[in-house]
């Protein structure tokens, strides 16, 4: 198959066209001598160095980029000396001037402190000295009233490079803040998944040994549930780890499960031997209109509530998950019927981060989170979150 031609962005095409136009302009007005050839060659070299310098900065080769600037500035100063010592040209070398200014801007934008000073000083001097090549510049109608043009130009490009450098810093800071927030969110998700699946496995394993002696069929069902829960936990943790290890944030999009479906699955998976859980959804609750943040928070709240029941209320026989509204707020309740004396702990020490992360989620959305015993008995985890 024939190789396709490389594609250039509109900005690259415009830069190439402008560069070619300036080179042709210089070539058309300089004298046909080695001095005129030197002006054209110096301009082509400066423009080529600007393109090469951008690539050098992208690959982190700061000192090479600085050395390139010094070489280009030296060639420009030598060309200026050659022109002034022979015959004054009718052009200062517009292509060369543009290349030097672009080099100056790029150095101020991407250069580190020491290579930056190494680059800026000779480039600045080279631009200022170009004024000696164009004694007729003051006769031009647009530029004749501008004093110190060849000093103002490098100052302006230095300021432009500094502005772009500051903008790059602000973008990096914003991107880092987003990545940090996303990683914190993923860490909370990872904790929620680990606590949910591991707790389910531990509780069922603890119930497996005594059950095996009196009801082998139920015991086989428990161990099958343990295997299924472990496999689901491994899949969930693998997904979280892949997201955490992705430094660039380039994650392939995965099918999104509706929040209400995911909540129904959590409640359904919770029901086991001796325990029954059901989900009560009010008629005015519509998960399809929830924001992604609200949907994720409701899912995590139900997951954390069920996980805590497994940890601390294993004797509870009924669990009730209720989704309702109170004005413009969504109210989520996770209740069990275990009394205070029956609430215990599993043999491992809990991490303590589940409720902390859950509280952060709810507060970020302007909601309120509470947890405590109910007057009629049992325990309730409740949250009230604005839906808008």
């Amino acid at each position: 198959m024939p190789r396709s031609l490389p594609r250039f962005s509109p900005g690259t095409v415009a830069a190439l066209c402008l560069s070619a136009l300036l080179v042709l302009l210089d070539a058309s007005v300089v004298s046909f001598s080695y001095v005129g050839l030197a002006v054209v060659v110096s301009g082509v070299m400066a423009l080529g160095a600007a393109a090469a310098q951008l690539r050098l900065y992208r690959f982190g080769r700061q000192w090479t980029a600085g050395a390139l600037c010094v070489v280009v500035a030296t060639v420009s100063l030598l060309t200026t000396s050659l022109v002034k010592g022979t015959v004054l040209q009718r052009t200062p070398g517009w292509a060369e001037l543009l290349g030097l200014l672009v080099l100056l801007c790029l150095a101020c934008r991407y250069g580190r402190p020491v290579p930056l000073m190494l680059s800026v000083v000779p480039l600045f001097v080279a631009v200022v000295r170009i004024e000696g090549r164009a004694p007729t510049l003051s006769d031009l109608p647009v530029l004749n009233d501008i004093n110190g043009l060849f000093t103002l130009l490098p100052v302006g490009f230095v300021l432009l490079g500094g502005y772009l450098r500051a903008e790059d810093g602000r973008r990096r800071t914003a991107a880092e803040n987003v990545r940090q927030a996303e990683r914190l969110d993923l860490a909370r998700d990872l904790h929620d998944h680990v606590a949910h699946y591991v707790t389910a496995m531990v509780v069922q394993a603890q119930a497996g040994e005594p059950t095996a002696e009196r009801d082998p069929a139920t015991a086989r069902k428990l161990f099958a549930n343990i295997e299924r829960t472990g496999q689901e936990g491994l899949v969930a943790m693998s997904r979280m780890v892949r997201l955490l290890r992705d430094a660039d944030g380039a994650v392939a999009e995965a099918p999104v499960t509706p929040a209400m479906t995911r909540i129904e699955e959590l409640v359904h998976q919770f029901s086991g031997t001796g325990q029954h859980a059901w989900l009560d959804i009010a008629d005015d609750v519509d998960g399809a209109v929830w924001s992604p943040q609200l949907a994720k928070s409701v899912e995590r709240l139900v997951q954390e509530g069920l996980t805590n029941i497994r940890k601390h209320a294993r004797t509870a026989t009924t669990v009730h998950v209720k989704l309702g509204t109170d004005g413009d707020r969504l109210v989520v309740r996770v209740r069990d019927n275990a009394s205070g004396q029956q609430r215990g702990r599993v043999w491992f020490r809990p991490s303590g981060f589940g409720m902390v992360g859950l509280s952060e989620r709810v507060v970020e959305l302007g909601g309120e989170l509470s947890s405590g015993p109910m007057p009629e008995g049992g325990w309730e985890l409740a949250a009230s979150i604005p839906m808008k």
Side-chain angles (χ1 to χ4, degrees):
M1 295 179 61
R3 297 180 61 182
S4 59
L5 296 175
R7 294 182 179 180
F8 297 100
S9 65
T12 302
V13 173
L16 291 174
C17 293
L18 177 60
S19 301
L21 179 63
L22 292 178
V23 171
L24 292 175
L25 177 63
D26 288 339
S28 65
V29 297
V30 296
S31 61
F32 294 96
S33 64
Y34 69 92
V35 179
L37 180 62
V39 172
V40 174
V41 171
S42 182
V44 173
M45 180 179 177
L47 291 172
Q53 187 196 38
L54 184 59
R55 291 185 61 84
L56 289 173
Y57 280 130
R58 285 178 177 175
F59 288 101
R61 304 183 67 175
Q62 292 278 333
W63 289 103
T64 305
L68 180 62
C69 290
V70 173
V71 171
V72 173
T74 302
V75 171
S76 176
L77 290 171
L78 291 174
T79 304
T80 299
S81 300
L82 179 64
V83 171
K84 292 180 65 176
T86 55
V87 58
L88 296 178
Q89 301 296 321
R90 288 178 293 166
T91 174
W94 297 112
E96 180 181 342
L97 178 62
L98 176 63
L100 291 172
L101 292 174
V102 172
L103 284 169
L104 193 59
C105 181
L106 291 176
C108 292
R109 181 177 184 179
Y110 298 113
R112 294 174 184 169
V114 177
L116 173 62
M117 295 304 300
L118 179 67
S119 304
V120 167
V121 174
L123 289 173
F124 197 98
V125 174
V127 173
V128 173
R129 294 285 293 169
I130 283 181
E131 185 176 10
R133 304 187 197 176
T136 59
L137 186 64
S138 59
D139 297 333
L140 296 177
V142 178
L143 304 176
N144 57 355
D145 294 330
I146 301 178
N147 296 321
L149 173 66
F150 288 89
T151 302
L152 294 176
L153 279 175
V155 170
F157 275 78
V158 166
L159 294 177
L160 175 61
Y163 170 77
L164 294 175
R165 188 187 191 98
E167 285 296 307
D168 291 341
R170 281 192 285 269
R171 281 194 293 268
R172 284 193 298 269
T173 301
E176 183 60 31
N177 290 337
V178 171
R179 282 194 294 268
Q180 185 64 26
E182 183 64 20
R183 287 178 177 272
L184 178 60
D185 192 48
L186 289 172
R188 291 191 300 223
D189 288 350
L190 184 59
H191 170 272
D192 292 341
H193 281 296
V194 171
H196 178 76
Y197 290 109
V198 172
T199 302
M201 293 169 62
V202 169
V203 171
Q204 293 180 89
Q206 288 177 331
E209 183 176 353
T211 304
E213 298 177 357
R214 61 178 184 271
D215 191 350
T218 302
R220 284 193 295 271
K221 181 179 178 181
L222 281 173
F223 288 119
N225 288 338
I226 292 174
E227 180 182 5
R228 175 179 54 80
T229 304
Q231 291 174 345
E232 292 175 353
L234 286 174
V235 171
M237 285 187 288
S238 296
R239 187 184 304 116
M240 290 293 104
V241 170
R242 282 197 302 272
L243 292 173
L244 288 170
R245 292 183 64 181
D246 190 350
D248 298 329
V251 182
E253 294 186 1
V256 178
T257 303
M260 202 63 73
T261 301
R262 185 75 183 109
I263 293 171
E264 292 173 353
E265 291 176 354
L266 287 172
V267 176
H268 175 73
Q269 293 170 2
F270 180 84
S271 296
T273 304
Q275 290 184 319
H276 177 69
W278 74 90
L279 178 63
D280 184 8
I281 305 174
D283 294 336
D284 54 353
V285 174
D286 184 7
V289 301
W290 294 348
S291 67
Q293 295 82 1
L294 177 60
K296 195 171 186 179
S297 296
V298 174
E299 178 188 335
R300 291 294 177 260
L301 193 146
V302 173
Q303 185 180 58
E304 183 66 20
L306 296 176
T307 299
N308 285 338
I309 291 173
R310 278 205 175 101
K311 286 182 178 180
H312 310 304
R314 289 175 292 161
T315 57
T317 57
T318 59
V319 176
H320 193 184
V321 179
K322 300 179 64 177
L323 302 180
T325 59
D326 182 9
D328 61 347
R329 301 173 75 88
L330 176 68
V331 179
V332 184
R333 304 181 187 275
V334 182
R335 297 175 171 178
D336 66 70
N337 65 344
S339 64
Q341 292 78 13
Q342 293 176 317
R343 303 185 70 83
R345 294 181 180 271
V346 291
W347 57 269
F348 60 84
R349 188 168 62 116
S351 65
F353 293 111
M355 289 297 295
V356 173
L358 185 60
S359 178
E360 290 175 354
R361 288 182 186 275
V362 173
V363 171
E364 285 174 1
L365 295 176
E368 300 173 354
L369 180 69
S370 62
S371 177
M374 296 183 293
E376 64 273 19
W379 197 271
E380 180 184 72
L381 174 66
S384 174
I385 309 174
M387 288 185 287
K388 296 183 179 180

